[in-house]
PDB file of all heavy atoms in Angstrom:
ATOM      1  N   GLY Y  60      16.684  23.499  -0.384  1.00  0.00           N
ATOM      2  CA  GLY Y  60      16.261  22.422   0.455  1.00  0.00           C
ATOM      3  C   GLY Y  60      15.093  22.766   1.358  1.00  0.00           C
ATOM      4  O   GLY Y  60      14.222  21.994   1.378  1.00  0.00           O
ATOM      5  N   VAL Y  61      15.080  23.888   1.951  1.00  0.00           N
ATOM      6  CA  VAL Y  61      13.986  24.349   2.856  1.00  0.00           C
ATOM      7  C   VAL Y  61      12.804  24.432   2.057  1.00  0.00           C
ATOM      8  O   VAL Y  61      11.731  23.962   2.596  1.00  0.00           O
ATOM      9  CB  VAL Y  61      14.367  25.689   3.619  1.00  0.00           C
ATOM     10  CG1 VAL Y  61      13.113  26.129   4.341  1.00  0.00           C
ATOM     11  CG2 VAL Y  61      15.490  25.479   4.449  1.00  0.00           C
ATOM     12  N   SER Y  62      12.732  25.138   0.927  1.00  0.00           N
ATOM     13  CA  SER Y  62      11.482  25.264   0.277  1.00  0.00           C
ATOM     14  C   SER Y  62      11.018  23.975  -0.301  1.00  0.00           C
ATOM     15  O   SER Y  62       9.766  23.693  -0.375  1.00  0.00           O
ATOM     16  CB  SER Y  62      11.619  26.366  -0.837  1.00  0.00           C
ATOM     17  OG  SER Y  62      12.763  26.262  -1.611  1.00  0.00           O
ATOM     18  N   PHE Y  63      11.957  23.116  -0.725  1.00  0.00           N
ATOM     19  CA  PHE Y  63      11.481  21.784  -1.193  1.00  0.00           C
ATOM     20  C   PHE Y  63      10.764  20.968  -0.083  1.00  0.00           C
ATOM     21  O   PHE Y  63       9.686  20.418  -0.284  1.00  0.00           O
ATOM     22  CB  PHE Y  63      12.842  20.972  -1.750  1.00  0.00           C
ATOM     23  CG  PHE Y  63      12.540  19.516  -2.017  1.00  0.00           C
ATOM     24  CD1 PHE Y  63      11.916  19.231  -3.204  1.00  0.00           C
ATOM     25  CD2 PHE Y  63      12.954  18.527  -1.166  1.00  0.00           C
ATOM     26  CE1 PHE Y  63      11.737  17.953  -3.578  1.00  0.00           C
ATOM     27  CE2 PHE Y  63      12.687  17.172  -1.511  1.00  0.00           C
ATOM     28  CZ  PHE Y  63      12.080  16.897  -2.688  1.00  0.00           C
ATOM     29  N   LEU Y  64      11.421  20.872   1.097  1.00  0.00           N
ATOM     30  CA  LEU Y  64      10.780  20.129   2.180  1.00  0.00           C
ATOM     31  C   LEU Y  64       9.438  20.742   2.537  1.00  0.00           C
ATOM     32  O   LEU Y  64       8.479  20.003   2.845  1.00  0.00           O
ATOM     33  CB  LEU Y  64      11.729  20.135   3.420  1.00  0.00           C
ATOM     34  CG  LEU Y  64      12.994  19.292   3.212  1.00  0.00           C
ATOM     35  CD1 LEU Y  64      13.890  19.335   4.420  1.00  0.00           C
ATOM     36  CD2 LEU Y  64      12.711  17.835   2.859  1.00  0.00           C
ATOM     37  N   LEU Y  65       9.406  22.077   2.603  1.00  0.00           N
ATOM     38  CA  LEU Y  65       8.132  22.826   3.005  1.00  0.00           C
ATOM     39  C   LEU Y  65       7.057  22.296   1.942  1.00  0.00           C
ATOM     40  O   LEU Y  65       5.932  22.048   2.258  1.00  0.00           O
ATOM     41  CB  LEU Y  65       8.400  24.250   3.029  1.00  0.00           C
ATOM     42  CG  LEU Y  65       7.470  25.123   3.727  1.00  0.00           C
ATOM     43  CD1 LEU Y  65       7.467  24.762   5.190  1.00  0.00           C
ATOM     44  CD2 LEU Y  65       7.745  26.644   3.550  1.00  0.00           C
ATOM     45  N   ALA Y  66       7.438  22.502   0.689  1.00  0.00           N
ATOM     46  CA  ALA Y  66       6.427  22.224  -0.366  1.00  0.00           C
ATOM     47  C   ALA Y  66       5.975  20.764  -0.359  1.00  0.00           C
ATOM     48  O   ALA Y  66       4.762  20.493  -0.515  1.00  0.00           O
ATOM     49  CB  ALA Y  66       6.991  22.627  -1.704  1.00  0.00           C
ATOM     50  N   MET Y  67       6.899  19.863  -0.198  1.00  0.00           N
ATOM     51  CA  MET Y  67       6.557  18.462  -0.106  1.00  0.00           C
ATOM     52  C   MET Y  67       5.613  18.097   1.061  1.00  0.00           C
ATOM     53  O   MET Y  67       4.551  17.449   0.924  1.00  0.00           O
ATOM     54  CB  MET Y  67       7.769  17.588  -0.077  1.00  0.00           C
ATOM     55  CG  MET Y  67       8.601  17.504  -1.323  1.00  0.00           C
ATOM     56  SD  MET Y  67       7.741  16.756  -2.739  1.00  0.00           S
ATOM     57  CE  MET Y  67       7.553  15.047  -2.178  1.00  0.00           C
ATOM     58  N   ALA Y  68       5.965  18.683   2.233  1.00  0.00           N
ATOM     59  CA  ALA Y  68       5.207  18.425   3.421  1.00  0.00           C
ATOM     60  C   ALA Y  68       3.771  18.874   3.325  1.00  0.00           C
ATOM     61  O   ALA Y  68       2.749  18.224   3.418  1.00  0.00           O
ATOM     62  CB  ALA Y  68       5.912  18.933   4.679  1.00  0.00           C
ATOM     63  N   ILE Y  69       3.680  20.109   3.038  1.00  0.00           N
ATOM     64  CA  ILE Y  69       2.337  20.814   2.857  1.00  0.00           C
ATOM     65  C   ILE Y  69       1.505  20.147   1.742  1.00  0.00           C
ATOM     66  O   ILE Y  69       0.439  19.873   1.807  1.00  0.00           O
ATOM     67  CB  ILE Y  69       2.427  22.297   2.667  1.00  0.00           C
ATOM     68  CG1 ILE Y  69       3.101  22.910   3.884  1.00  0.00           C
ATOM     69  CG2 ILE Y  69       1.123  22.962   2.443  1.00  0.00           C
ATOM     70  CD1 ILE Y  69       3.431  24.404   3.860  1.00  0.00           C
ATOM     71  N   GLY Y  70       2.255  20.072   0.556  1.00  0.00           N
ATOM     72  CA  GLY Y  70       1.621  19.495  -0.627  1.00  0.00           C
ATOM     73  C   GLY Y  70       1.074  18.051  -0.346  1.00  0.00           C
ATOM     74  O   GLY Y  70      -0.062  17.717  -0.786  1.00  0.00           O
ATOM     75  N   THR Y  71       1.825  17.257   0.451  1.00  0.00           N
ATOM     76  CA  THR Y  71       1.413  15.871   0.697  1.00  0.00           C
ATOM     77  C   THR Y  71       0.154  15.847   1.571  1.00  0.00           C
ATOM     78  O   THR Y  71      -0.725  15.100   1.300  1.00  0.00           O
ATOM     79  CB  THR Y  71       2.601  15.096   1.389  1.00  0.00           C
ATOM     80  OG1 THR Y  71       3.762  15.139   0.490  1.00  0.00           O
ATOM     81  CG2 THR Y  71       2.205  13.692   1.602  1.00  0.00           C
ATOM     82  N   VAL Y  72       0.266  16.692   2.636  1.00  0.00           N
ATOM     83  CA  VAL Y  72      -0.914  16.726   3.571  1.00  0.00           C
ATOM     84  C   VAL Y  72      -2.213  17.098   2.743  1.00  0.00           C
ATOM     85  O   VAL Y  72      -3.177  16.471   2.938  1.00  0.00           O
ATOM     86  CB  VAL Y  72      -0.659  17.700   4.733  1.00  0.00           C
ATOM     87  CG1 VAL Y  72      -1.898  17.911   5.472  1.00  0.00           C
ATOM     88  CG2 VAL Y  72       0.435  17.111   5.612  1.00  0.00           C
TER      89      VAL Y  72
END
Side-chain angles (χ1 to χ4, degrees):
Chain Y
V61 173
S62 41
F63 173 76
L64 291 179
L65 199 65
M67 286 299 291
I69 296 175
T71 302
V72 170

